[in-house]
Amino acid sequence: RRATRATASGEIALLAEQDRSLWDHGEIAEGARLVERAMRTGRFGSYAVQAAIAALHAEASSADETDWAQIAGLYDVLLRIEPTPIVELNRAVAVAMRDGASAGLALVDRILARGELASYHLAHAARADLLARLGRRDDALASYERARALATLEPEQRFLDGRMAVLRAGSEGR
């Protein structure tokens, strides 16, 4: 998948936007076999669970075809092994994909309310995306602006600028 994580101009390409036909499906299949074997042992750690999550993403023919229920379940397992706020945030995103943006937003808001990820731009970007999906444009813009203020890498800043531009352009048509 490595070659599709950025556009030709170096911009971030989200997983849902990547051209899956360019992925190395042979390597994906081999990785999935190795993950299955590791998980069947019953003695696996966080890396094996993370690999299982990555395999589910890679095996899906599209973002819409991703098995979000299984991914959310794997994040439940990962949280027991590695109970970190980042894992919890990733789980919240998977829950949002499985159960809807409102369910994910409630989880993200709880994480942010604790303050552990207050300085983590991706937490605010995830919140912004969920708010945008719910049609809460002004709240989404505020969260994107917070994420942008915290982002330190130029590609991430440009990506967030693009997200905000799309939201602002959408409101001009009203």
Side-chain angles (χ1 to χ4, degrees), residues 10 17 25 29 36 38 55 65 79 98 102 108 141-142 151 155 157 160:
E17 300 162 354
H25 295 283
E36 267 185 55
E65 297 298 317
L79 256 178
R98 181 190 68 193
S102 292
V108 171
L141 280 170
Q157 292 168 346
L160 294 166

Side-chain angles (χ1 to χ4, degrees), residues 14 23 34 43 55 59 64 68 76 82 94 101 107 115 120 126 134 137 140 153 159 171-173:
L14 294 179
W23 292 357
L34 292 171
R43 295 185 341 248
E59 291 176 316
D64 291 337
W68 291 108
D76 289 338
E82 192 174 314
L107 295 172
Y120 186 52
L134 291 168
R137 180 192 158 277
L153 300 177
F159 175 82
S171 71
E172 291 172 11

